């Protein structure tokens, strides 16, 4: 994992700048910004127009079981609302609601507060909407628009951390799908593809540090949409060649579902495989940014939350489609 040490340092710098309240420098600097602008204009010409300006209305009650509903709030950007889908059942929020209802054997009340095009700065308003239902769990997909809008990483991370803390203070479990690897988007050419890949993963690592510090869990999207997207772009991307297709959205939802269930105590935590388990938070964040589907959450070692190199974190690579073993 060549980038891990460097990304751990980048995550530390970004998280420190966010904690101090400054915007901080960008992960790559002004030169990269100029490259993003120039190459981005070319990429935008190659990207078509998605279906509509937002996803289909998906708020409602899901599941066939009886009992007191669990309240699920979905926040974030176009990925959270399923932009491009006409059928609500194919959006990540509804896939999560139905999956959670099946595991919990309880109905799930869903509210989608996310908005297409939303950067992390828009999360404050979305949290206001989510808190109205007193969520048991909140899922956030965010980060791509912070890169597209050239938001300083420390600023983006600070807004995300505030959102997670507000939700946690209200009693909600919080799971964040970190910034996806925009280097997988076909219309983006080199060298912009390499720049966006590096920047995406640095932001994802910094998001992980901030979210875990605020009491949430993260699931690394990294290139969870990558290998299959690169192999089958016509199937995994939608008509605009930027947003996922229904299969792509399903992949994102099912990457997060195990962590949602574990956070609510519905599934036991998995046993770590070799090379997993406990790591200092900055290294865990950098490792997760390279490994799609990896969950990071805070933990303790010998009763201590922090060690010589910062907070301790548990890191698990959940295998989609495989049963979670009893501990």
């Amino acid at each position: 994992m060549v980038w891990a040490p460097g990304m751990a340092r980048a995550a530390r710098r970004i998280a420190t700048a966010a904690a101090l309240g400054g915007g901080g420098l960008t992960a790559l600097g002004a030169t990269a910004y100029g490259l993003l602008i120039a190459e981005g204009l070319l990429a935008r010409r190659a990207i078509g127009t998605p279906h509509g300006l937002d996803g289909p209305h998906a708020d409602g009650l899901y599941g066939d079981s009886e009992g007191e509903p669990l309240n699920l709030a979905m926040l974030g950007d176009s990925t959270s609302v399923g932009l491009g889908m006409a059928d609500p059942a194919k959006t990540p929020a509804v896939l999560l609601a139905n999956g959670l209802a099946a595991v919990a054997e309880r109905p799930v009340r869903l509210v989608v507060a996310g908005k297409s095009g939303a950067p992390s700065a828009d999360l404050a308003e979305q949290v206001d909407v989510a808190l109205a239902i007193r969520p048991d769990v909140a899922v956030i997909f965010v980060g791509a628009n912070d890169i597209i809008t050239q938001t300083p990483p420390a600023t983006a991370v600070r807004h995300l951390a505030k959102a997670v803390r507000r939700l946690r203070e209200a009693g909600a479990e919080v799971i964040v799908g970190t910034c996806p690897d925009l280097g997988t988007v076909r219309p983006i050419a080199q060298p912009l593809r390499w720049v966006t890949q590096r920047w995406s993963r640095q932001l994802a690592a910094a998001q992980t540090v901030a979210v875990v510090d605020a009491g949430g869990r993260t699931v690394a999207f990294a290139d969870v949409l990558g290998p299959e997207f690169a192999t089958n772009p016509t199937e995994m991307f939608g008509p605009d060649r930027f947003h996922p297709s229904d299969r792509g959205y399903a992949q994102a939802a099912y990457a997060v579902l195990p962590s949602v269930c574990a956070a609510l105590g519905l599934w036991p935590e998995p046993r770590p495989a070799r090379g997993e388990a406990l790591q200092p938070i900055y290294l865990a964040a950098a490792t997760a940014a390279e490994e799609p589907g990896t969950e990071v959450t805070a933990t303790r070692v010998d009763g201590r939350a922090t060690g010589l190199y910062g907070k301790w974190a548990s890191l698990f690579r959940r295998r989609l489609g495989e049963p979670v073993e009893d501990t």
Side-chain angles (χ1 to χ4, degrees), residues 50-304:
H51 299 301
L53 298 177
D54 225 323
H57 181 76
D59 292 7
L61 196 65
Y62 294 89
D64 298 326
S65 301
E66 298 181 355
E68 185 68 20
L70 287 167
N71 292 328
L72 166 65
M74 192 78 176
L75 302 84
D77 54 26
S78 57
T79 306
S80 74
V81 302
L83 182 65
M85 296 296 99
D87 183 357
K90 295 182 178 180
T91 63
V94 174
L95 291 170
L96 283 171
N98 281 325
L100 178 57
V103 173
E105 298 183 338
R106 291 170 59 181
V108 171
R109 180 179 292 109
L110 169 68
V111 62
V112 180
K115 296 291 182 183
S116 178
S120 296
D122 290 354
L123 289 174
E125 183 178 347
Q126 295 183 21
V127 171
D128 291 339
V129 175
L131 291 180
I133 66 164
R134 297 183 180 180
D136 296 291
V137 60
V139 177
I140 305 173
F141 291 173
V142 77
N145 289 308
D146 292 303
I147 291 178
I148 292 171
T149 60
Q150 304 169 25
T151 301
T155 301
V157 167
R158 187 168 65 253
H159 285 299
L160 176 59
K162 287 181 179 178
V164 174
R165 287 194 178 93
R166 288 183 61 197
L167 290 162
R168 292 291 291 137
E169 288 169 359
E173 297 293 338
V174 182
I175 296 87
V176 175
T178 57
C179 183
D181 180 1
L182 296 185
T184 62
V185 178
R186 281 289 182 93
I188 299 178
Q190 296 289 15
L192 179 60
R193 184 178 296 178
W194 181 87
V195 172
T196 54
Q197 180 183 61
R198 184 180 175 192
W199 197 5
S200 298
R201 296 192 179 194
Q202 286 182 342
L203 178 57
Q207 287 177 319
T208 297
V209 173
V211 169
V212 171
D213 185 62
R217 301 178 181 223
T218 61
V219 175
F221 277 0
D223 59 352
V224 71
L225 312 179
E228 285 192 58
F229 275 49
T231 304
N232 303 300
T234 58
E235 295 182 15
M236 303 303 286
F237 281 110
D240 66 356
R241 295 190 294 163
F242 186 82
H243 293 91
S245 66
D246 54 351
R247 285 186 59 191
Y249 281 129
Q251 183 120 337
Y254 294 142
V256 172
L257 179 60
S259 298
V260 171
C261 294
L264 292 171
L266 299 172
W267 286 359
E269 299 290 359
R271 292 191 184 98
R274 181 177 298 178
E276 297 179 347
L278 306 177
Q279 294 185 7
I281 180 57
Y282 292 102
L283 181 58
T287 302
E290 294 289 329
E291 297 288 343
T294 301
E295 177 191 305
V296 180
T297 187
T299 191
R300 290 177 176 271
V301 177
D302 296 329
R304 297 181 180 179

Side-chain angles (χ1 to χ4, degrees), residues 10 13-14 17 23-33 36 150-154 199 202:
R13 289 196 302 270
I14 295 167
L25 296 176
T26 68
L28 296 176
T31 300
Y33 269 168
L36 281 170
Q150 304 169 25
T151 301
W199 197 5
Q202 286 182 342

Side-chain angles (χ1 to χ4, degrees), residues 297-318:
T297 187
T299 191
R300 290 177 176 271
V301 177
D302 296 329
R304 297 181 180 179
T306 59
L308 181 62
Y309 299 104
K311 290 193 174 184
W312 288 106
S314 293
L315 184 146
F316 297 111
R317 297 180 184 91
R318 297 186 184 274

